[in-house]
Amino acid sequence: MRVMAQMAMVMNLDKCIGCHTCSVTCKQAWTNRAGTEYVWFNNVETRPGLGYPRGYQDQERWKGGWVRKGNGKLALRAGGRWQKLANIFSNPKMPSIEDYYEPWTYDYDTLLNAPAQKNFPVARPHSLISGKPMNVSWSANWDDDLGGSREHAAKDPMLKGIEDKVKFEFEQTFMFYLPRICEHCLNPSCAASCPSGAIYKRSEDGIVLVDQDKCRGWRMCISGCPYKKVYFNHKTGKAEKCTFCYPRVEVGIPTVCSETCVGRLRYIGIMLYDADRVLEAASTESEHGLYEAQRDVFLDPFDPEVQRAAEAAGIPGDWMEAARKSPVRRLIMDYKVALPLHPEYRTMPMVWYIPPLSPVVDVVKETGHDAEDKDNLFNAIETLRIPVEYLANLFTAGDVGPVNDVLRKMAAMRSYMRDINLGRDGNPAIAEAVGMREEDLYEMFRLLAIAKYADRYVIPTAHAEQAHALEELATDCPVSEYGGGQQGPFGEGSGAPTPVAVENFRALQARQTSDSYETELIGGGNKAGRVNLLNWDGVGTPDGLFPDNGESK
């Protein structure tokens, strides 16, 4: 048994309101630079829908993730070393800018400064790549709230085989929101796909990162990731992805998307797992068995044997305490209401989801019956507007059993708490109907509905003795035969990496000691950079603070 710690997240889809605050704040924090205009480390999709990039779940087309071969071993769906070498300079299995979207801005100058005229001026969209006028026809959120559902949502790959069960007429359709970030998988296919070994999984907390010095821009990681959460910065020629906000996590602060989530639907905590069993679990023969196989990889932090093995592995005591208090562990292991996204990709994802239940109550209300009654809720699960089979296609590789169990537990919790909130005694039969105790239902309600900040985010801080490894070393943690850091015909990135701490110091020093008000854009370029207000003495107007309209100052 090789005990390792993994930073993980659970999202309660029953509470997501689709406000996209998480996406916007992540964009401002991580991808507001040149070359990342189209990049969304966090995006919120409407389901049913095509997602972002368009149709990313169609692995017959994109060849992402792993497949199990006849001999029981895993292989990259996109092919091994020789196939990658054959396509090293032209990757045919990568989404184009049309599948993402061509980023744009608007001609605000014409709108604001046009002379008085009969017709009202408009701000036409202009491409941020070419600068030319364009017609907007797709974006990262094009099918939001089922916009154009007959044209777009009807092509959702997850509807295959159940098309007759999903109605797209306005009064019959149904939707829910699905926030997505990098899954920080236990068996990441992006890392295994990288010829340069630039993508690595930190052994301290399992966060998957891209070494910008080693990255050579082959873009095989984009093809290898089945969730398409690795992006190419066309300005720097490097791959970029969600970092799980590791500078924040290292000091015990949750990710930006979690911190700013309006619905408070995200939970962050530590999961302990047996690294020696990851490959075996990912190689499970039946796709329906992958969910339970991954749960079997997780370890119980209360087990004395696990505690001794963790101590021998160098996992600090406060991390073990955080694992025992982890809300993620409680939702995945104790209550069994969180499910992985597309376990059939065999990457062992570590961002899990609680399926939505809210529509069940609406269905019951429409019939005129008691919408909080246990029996009514249980029966209504079978008549959801969106079939349970669709949720199963998302979270359990098509196995409806675990999804039904989760929905029944959520319905039981709602029915049980209705009695409590009305001043009546709790009904133990409700808990027994879903194989739980009354105390479990009540504690699950507190965690999912009214949990405090400290209960939703149990994040141990990084230790000073680990700082060097966390910030300055690319510690690989491969679990497959194609593990990152391999020696290939092109070798690994040459030159010693510049420590993250040094990069941050240099950037801050450059801003604070610059003689001009403008700083150079990250990634270079000949365009004017951002205005540095740290150097402004408050007198006059710095150049670049406002758009130049040609008037004399």
Side-chain angles (χ1 to χ4, degrees):
M1 178 169 58
R2 183 157 60 103
V3 182
M4 300 191 75
Q6 170 76 40
M7 197 67 66
M9 180 182 291
V10 167
M11 301 191 208
N12 184 2
L13 299 184
D14 215 21
K15 299 174 70 176
C16 184
I17 62 175
C19 65
H20 303 275
T21 304
C22 53
S23 300
V24 174
T25 51
C26 176
K27 183 73 174 174
Q28 289 298 315
W30 291 102
T31 61
N32 61 349
R33 296 162 283 109
T36 62
E37 293 88 352
Y38 77 102
V39 173
W40 295 87
F41 288 168
N42 183 111
N43 69 290
V44 181
E45 302 169 355
T46 296
R47 288 288 157 186
L50 291 179
Y52 177 74
R54 179 165 30 190
Y56 72 92
Q57 294 164 301
D58 185 1
Q59 302 311 325
E60 295 301 319
R61 177 185 181 190
W62 299 121
K63 307 296 183 184
W66 303 90
V67 292
R68 186 180 186 273
K69 297 187 293 187
N71 59 6
K73 292 185 177 181
L74 292 184
L76 291 169
R77 188 185 292 269
R81 293 183 178 89
W82 292 110
Q83 287 173 283
K84 294 188 181 306
L85 180 60
N87 298 306
I88 194 74
F89 296 111
S90 179
N91 186 353
K93 297 298 181 183
M94 190 177 71
S96 66
I97 194 66
E98 287 77 20
D99 295 307
Y100 294 102
Y101 68 96
E102 187 170 359
W104 72 88
T105 185
Y106 293 97
D107 183 11
Y108 293 110
D109 188 65
T110 298
L111 179 66
L112 298 174
N113 299 314
Q117 53 186 291
K118 180 179 179 181
N119 298 319
F120 195 84
V122 297
R124 291 190 59 190
H126 284 247
S127 170
L128 283 173
I129 297 178
S130 66
K132 298 179 180 179
M134 60 175 288
N135 292 320
V136 179
S137 59
W138 187 256
S139 80
N141 193 30
W142 198 253
D143 47 12
D144 185 35
D145 294 350
L146 292 182
S149 57
R150 288 180 176 272
E151 180 180 357
H152 303 302
K155 300 176 183 177
D156 185 344
M158 295 299 101
L159 293 176
K160 186 176 181 180
I162 57 172
E163 294 88 349
D164 59 325
K165 295 186 178 182
V166 178
K167 308 298 182 183
F168 285 106
E169 287 76 12
F170 179 79
E171 69 279 2
Q172 293 181 319
T173 192
F174 163 73
M175 67 180 185
F176 66 92
Y177 301 107
L178 181 69
R180 289 202 308 119
I181 63 172
C182 169
E183 296 287 330
H184 296 277
C185 308
L186 298 182
N187 184 29
S189 54
C190 59
S193 300
C194 179
S196 304
I199 299 186
Y200 63 98
K201 185 174 179 65
R202 300 205 307 189
S203 60
E204 293 82 2
D205 53 18
I207 295 176
V208 178
L209 299 174
V210 182
D211 187 328
Q212 295 291 293
D213 291 285
K214 283 187 176 181
C215 180
R216 295 293 177 262
W218 300 121
R219 288 171 269 188
M220 293 298 173
C221 53
I222 299 176
S223 300
C225 175
Y227 304 96
K228 292 297 173 281
K229 275 300 176 181
V230 185
Y231 302 90
F232 184 69
N233 185 323
H234 59 84
K235 191 74 173 179
T236 64
K238 307 285 186 178
E240 298 188 19
K241 61 177 292 298
C242 162
T243 65
F244 211 84
C245 291
Y246 73 91
R248 296 171 58 93
V249 169
E250 287 174 4
V251 295
I253 303 175
T255 61
V256 169
C257 58
S258 301
E259 183 84 70
T260 59
C261 176
V262 173
R264 299 182 179 181
L265 59 95
R266 301 186 187 226
Y267 300 81
I268 297 178
I270 290 291
M271 293 292 291
L272 300 182
Y273 69 98
D274 185 355
D276 290 335
R277 297 172 58 189
V278 170
L279 187 57
E280 177 187 354
S283 304
T284 299
E285 182 176 2
S286 172
E287 291 185 346
H288 287 181
L290 287 167
Y291 160 59
E292 285 296 340
Q294 184 169 357
R295 289 186 71 254
D296 290 340
V297 169
F298 299 138
L299 300 174
D300 182 2
F302 294 96
D303 187 339
E305 183 180 352
V306 172
Q307 293 175 3
R308 288 191 294 269
E311 183 178 1
I315 298 179
D318 58 337
W319 280 59
M320 290 298 297
E321 182 63 24
R324 288 188 283 268
K325 295 180 179 179
S326 171
V328 173
R329 183 194 59 80
R330 293 165 64 190
L331 294 170
I332 293 176
M333 301 301 293
D334 294 348
Y335 306 137
K336 300 180 182 179
V337 293
L339 303 171
L341 181 64
H342 291 302
E344 69 272 18
Y345 297 159
R346 299 180 184 272
T347 60
M348 302 281 112
M350 288 306 295
V351 176
W352 288 40
Y353 295 86
I354 300 175
L357 176 70
S358 295
V360 176
V361 176
D362 297 333
V363 170
V364 177
K365 282 182 178 179
E366 292 172 0
T367 65
H369 293 85
D370 185 351
E372 302 290 348
D373 181 79
K374 165 179 67 75
D375 295 325
N376 290 338
L377 285 175
F378 287 170
N379 293 329
I381 289 175
E382 303 298 329
T383 61
L384 282 173
R385 286 182 178 179
I386 187 167
V388 176
E389 292 88 342
Y390 182 86
L391 297 175
N393 286 343
L394 279 174
F395 302 119
T396 54
D399 186 6
V400 299
V403 177
N404 265 320
D405 291 343
V406 171
L407 295 179
R408 285 171 59 86
K409 289 179 180 179
M410 299 293 287
M413 180 188 71
R414 181 169 298 187
S415 181
Y416 180 83
M417 289 308 302
R418 194 272 296 266
D419 290 339
I420 300 297
N421 293 331
L422 291 178
R424 299 196 290 256
D425 293 334
N427 183 0
I430 297 177
E432 294 171 1
V434 292
M436 298 180 70
R437 301 179 304 164
E438 291 184 78
E439 296 82 1
D440 294 333
L441 277 182
Y442 183 73
E443 289 301 321
M444 187 170 74
F445 163 76
R446 290 189 61 84
L447 181 59
L448 293 180
I450 58 176
K452 301 296 184 182
Y453 187 94
D455 297 323
R456 288 183 286 122
Y457 310 127
V458 181
I459 307 172
T461 58
H463 282 235
E465 64 272 18
Q466 296 178 343
H468 182 71
L470 283 170
E471 287 195 344
E472 302 179 6
L473 295 182
T475 304
D476 296 302
C477 180
V479 295
S480 71
E481 58 182 305
Y482 297 106
Q486 64 195 16
Q487 289 290 348
F490 294 95
E492 295 188 3
S494 59
T498 303
V500 175
V502 175
E503 287 182 347
N504 292 342
F505 170 75
R506 289 174 179 170
L508 181 62
Q509 184 184 49
R511 287 196 300 268
Q512 294 181 342
T513 60
S514 174
D515 293 331
S516 65
Y517 292 119
E518 295 184 359
T519 58
E520 184 181 358
L521 283 173
I522 295 177
N526 53 10
K527 295 183 178 180
R530 301 188 183 94
V531 174
N532 177 19
L533 294 180
L534 293 175
N535 293 342
W536 183 31
D537 59 6
V539 179
T541 303
D543 292 336
L545 181 59
F546 299 104
D548 184 7
N549 57 12
E551 298 179 2
S552 59
K553 298 182 176 62

